[in-house]
Amino acid sequence: MLRVGLVGAGMIATAHASAYENLQDQVQVVAVADVMPERAKAMGQRFNAEVFPDGETLIEQAEVDVIDVCTPTFLHAKHTIQACGAKRHVLCEKPMALSLAEADAMIQAAEDNGVTLMIAQVLRFWPEYAAMYKKIKEGDLGEPLHMTARRFGQPPGGSWQDWFLDPERSGTVVLDLHIHDLDFAAYLFGKPVNVSAVGSLNEKGIGTVQTSISFFGGKSASCGGGWLPVSGFPFTTEITIYCEKGYIESSSRAGVNIEARGENKPTFKIYRLGQETELVTVENRDGYLAEIEYYLGCLYQGIKPEVVTPVDARQSLQIALTARESLG
């Protein structure tokens, strides 16, 4: 059985922890680290795991096979490179890093040490998104031509030292939230040829952004996203994919952030010329569970992940960085 060291015990680590609880026949969380002692202690008790004061100590001392990096974005590269150097496989939360130089160093560290690195671009595993992607790739709707997407929510609160609201540590809403849809567009269309964005972010990286992406073959995407500093606004997502022979779309509104991810039934609609609208209901399976199960399956089979590769995640980071830079 694979042994996991969970580095970080905050919001996203809690989502990962729920997945591990559902995969106890495949994996055991044996070590937990967080710089907030009470949070680390609570997560450690949840798994009867050894508790470490920080990620560096866990990676150095814990007897594990996999390091799951759920630390703030500015620590992703540091913890991933250290874990690779310790010959541990690594699952690292998105975004991959804060810079392309860091992303390249992470890829090189995994290659040099013969370990498997996957970046948790979870939207590729989100039930309705994964099902829409599969439907499009089956081909009966023809080639996908254009994608529009929206993703809006309230600014994250309660994080360690409010790191989400420090652009130097989070990369702003563009790298933290908006990157989901930028990544899915690249998943669907491949390598971009042009990226531009408009919008407005304040000194804490809060605001909105609208990114236009052109891809090879005349395909395109328009993605909007942002943190809206208002009370009561629900976490909102929408996506429409325009294909040669029809359209496919999905939307959801629930909660403030990922804590309410199970409240909506995952569905999407298919529109075809001259036919009735088709409503497709998808198995309501948590995206974090799906991505972690996939990653573990790759490790057990001794194969590299293909749904999202480190190079894929680097490309999505590059798109997000270009979008942020174009805001001025």
Side-chain angles (χ1 to χ4, degrees), residues 11 16 50 81 137 146 162 176 179 184 189 260-261 278 285 288 294 303:
M11 178 181 66
H16 285 219
E50 187 175 2
I81 292 168
K137 292 303 177 179
H146 179 70
D162 276 339
D176 187 78
I179 196 172
F184 197 77
F189 295 125
R261 61 189 181 276
E278 179 183 356
R285 195 160 189 267
Y288 295 102
Y294 171 79
I303 60 176

Side-chain angles (χ1 to χ4, degrees), residues 5 13 39 73 96 139 141 158-159 165 188 217 258 281 286 289 319 325:
R39 203 161 66 176
T73 301
M96 188 173 190
L141 289 173
S159 62
L165 304 184
L188 192 64
I258 61 170
T281 300
D286 186 56
L289 172 59
I319 295 171
E325 290 167 5

Side-chain angles (χ1 to χ4, degrees), residues 128 132 249-251 264-269 279-282:
E128 54 267 53
M132 286 188 291
E249 71 171 13
S250 181
S251 63
N264 288 303
K265 289 185 178 181
T267 62
F268 63 90
K269 294 179 180 179
L279 176 64
V280 180
T281 300
V282 182

Side-chain angles (χ1 to χ4, degrees), residues 94 120-130 147 149 151 179-185 187 237 239 287 291:
K94 64 82 214 155
Q121 293 287 171
V122 72
L123 207 61
R124 299 189 184 205
F125 300 89
W126 214 255
E128 54 267 53
Y129 286 78
M147 176 188 123
R151 186 169 305 268
I179 196 172
H180 281 297
D181 295 302
L182 304 181
D183 175 72
F184 197 77
Y187 186 36
T237 69
I239 182 170
E291 81 175 349

